[in-house]
Amino acid sequence: MSFARLCAHYFSHAAWLEEDQLLRGVGRLAGIPGVLIHGRLDLGGPPDAAWLLARAWPTSELYLVNAGHTGGADMTEHTLAALERFAQR
């Protein structure tokens, strides 16, 4: 119940962010590589947000995996592969 209250509180206040604040500030990530892994079945955070971020962040990679909000084997596989690549840098 506490987790549900916390989530509802953040959702109802849009996490205290202005409209499109994250996308407007994405230029600060220029030149920094990133890997975005998003569950295409995530109902709480639809994939369009990750897609818009990936479009605005040229050095990022987006993987839409067959999972929901809590992840799964596909998400774990992509996460471990990304971590391995970053560790080798």
Side-chain angles (χ1 to χ4, degrees):
M1 185 58 112
S2 296
F3 182 69
R5 273 195 197 121
L6 182 65
C7 289
H9 187 65
Y10 271 78
F11 273 108
S12 67
H13 293 328
W16 292 273
L17 296 170
E18 296 173 14
E19 184 74 27
D20 293 331
Q21 182 177 348
L22 294 177
L23 287 177
R24 284 194 318 269
V26 76
R28 298 172 68 184
L29 298 174
I32 299 173
V35 176
L36 307 167
I37 307 164
H38 194 89
R40 67 177 187 85
L41 305 173
D42 184 349
L43 300 177
D48 62 334
W51 184 79
L52 289 170
L53 179 58
R55 283 191 54 200
W57 185 7
T59 53
S60 71
E61 302 168 28
L62 173 61
Y63 297 96
L64 289 176
V65 297
N66 194 25
H69 187 74
T70 58
D74 208 17
M75 188 173 287
T76 301
E77 180 182 324
H78 283 284
T79 301
L80 292 175
L83 289 171
E84 180 64 32
R85 282 193 342 214
F86 285 125
Q88 291 176 2
R89 289 185 168 208

